[in-house]
Amino acid sequence: AQKITQTQPGMFVQEKEAVTLDCTYDTSDPSYGLFWYKQPSSGEMIFLIYQGSYDQQNATEGRYSLNFQKARKSANLVISASQLGDSAMYFCAMREESGYSTLTFGKGTMLLVSP
Amino acid sequence: DAMVIQNPRYQVTQFGKPVTLSCSQTLNHNVMYWYQQKSSQAPKLLFHYYDKDFNNEADTPDNFQSRRPNTSFCFLDIRSPGLGDAAMYLCATSGKTGGVNEKLFFGSGTQLSVL
């Protein structure tokens, strides 16, 4: 079974609008971490935001926030006030306590921001 | 700025001709990773080093080898590249705690073409 599922191959949003990118995960570990990375066409993976399984509050980093629903095993990324530079691939990833040093990625969502 | 550097950015090799990809880091991180990312797919972990301790993923082909002569450098050797090995190869590092919140720092990747 896939550990990380991103069901949206592509998303379109207009500049200045908010967009939500979906991510669900599967683990039996009580302790795990969830990450979102952005990959522009240049190829580099850029860290955006982190959510720990024991964190009580949803993580926020500037225009990025993570809608963490533990019971539903979902960790959706919300980008507010989209900018043209947000056009990129977005990957959700998970690190489990039992899988030391291994970060497992979902298949990604391509986001296109239009003027 | 401290960073992860991959050279070259683009590499073209011939079918069956050995090729080496390079990665260096100035973060002084203990853990270094190699991921393979094929077009429109999630990055797939090939192997990682914790200091000099080499950890191979179970499904990594024998055709792929790695060397880490010191903390700063790590190499990916493909002994006999096939057409199916054409991909983006991403190098990443992380600190030594191994905790679930340990994020990965990525290089810009090397895009490998096999002719």
Side-chain angles (χ1 to χ4, degrees):
Chain A
Q2 284 193 353
K3 286 185 179 288
I4 298 285
T5 302
Q6 294 181 256
T7 57
Q8 306 154 315
M11 290 285 285
F12 292 90
V13 66
Q14 223 165 8
E15 202 176 5
K16 300 179 186 175
E17 298 291 315
V19 63
T20 298
L21 306 184
D22 294 341
C23 173
T24 57
Y25 59 91
D26 182 28
T27 181
S28 55
D29 281 3
S31 177
Y32 51 89
L34 297 159
F35 301 77
W36 278 91
Y37 279 84
K38 171 185 178 182
Q39 188 179 40
S41 56
S42 58
E44 182 181 359
M45 298 283 273
I46 302 166
F47 167 76
L48 295 178
I49 196 167
Y50 165 80
Q51 179 83 44
S53 59
Y54 291 121
D55 292 344
Q56 297 295 316
Q57 307 264 4
N58 284 346
T60 61
E61 290 283 352
R63 293 186 299 111
Y64 305 108
S65 60
L66 206 151
N67 183 0
F68 181 47
Q69 298 188 39
K70 193 170 182 176
R72 296 179 61 186
K73 293 189 175 178
S74 75
N76 298 340
L77 176 70
V78 180
I79 306 175
S80 63
S82 297
Q83 301 172 358
L84 296 178
D86 294 334
S87 294
M89 279 291 285
Y90 288 81
F91 290 95
C92 180
M94 177 172 65
R95 183 193 287 255
E96 298 168 280
E97 188 174 44
S98 62
Y100 171 76
S101 291
T102 300
L103 192 64
T104 303
F105 287 87
K107 291 187 175 182
T109 296
M110 172 63 80
L111 177 66
L112 291 178
V113 181
S114 60
Chain B
D1 288 343
M3 58 180 62
V4 182
I5 302 165
Q6 290 188 246
N7 285 306
R9 181 71 178 88
Y10 299 94
Q11 176 75 55
V12 180
T13 190
Q14 290 180 330
F15 183 93
K17 185 175 181 180
V19 64
T20 295
L21 309 183
S22 302
C23 178
S24 64
Q25 54 123 343
T26 59
L27 297 160
N28 203 32
H29 279 166
N30 297 76
V31 193
M32 294 187 78
Y33 311 77
W34 281 104
Y35 281 85
Q36 178 193 63
Q37 186 180 22
K38 295 188 177 179
S39 182
S40 301
Q41 294 186 22
K44 177 180 177 299
L45 183 65
L46 294 173
F47 24 61
H48 72 275
Y49 277 93
Y50 183 91
D51 291 326
K52 287 189 175 294
D53 183 22
F54 178 70
N55 298 274
N56 199 30
E57 293 299 298
D59 56 355
T60 298
D62 292 340
N63 199 24
F64 290 85
Q65 305 285 322
S66 186
R67 297 170 283 134
R68 189 179 185 186
N70 53 51
T71 300
S72 300
F73 287 87
C74 195
F75 301 97
L76 170 61
D77 301 308
I78 308 176
R79 292 192 296 187
S80 181
L83 298 178
D85 297 328
M88 172 76 86
Y89 290 87
L90 295 164
C91 175
T93 72
S94 70
K96 67 178 179 179
T97 66
V100 296
N101 62 340
E102 194 79 61
K103 70 182 182 187
L104 269 61
F105 295 79
F106 284 85
S108 296
T110 293
Q111 182 67 51
L112 177 69
S113 300
V114 182
L115 304 179

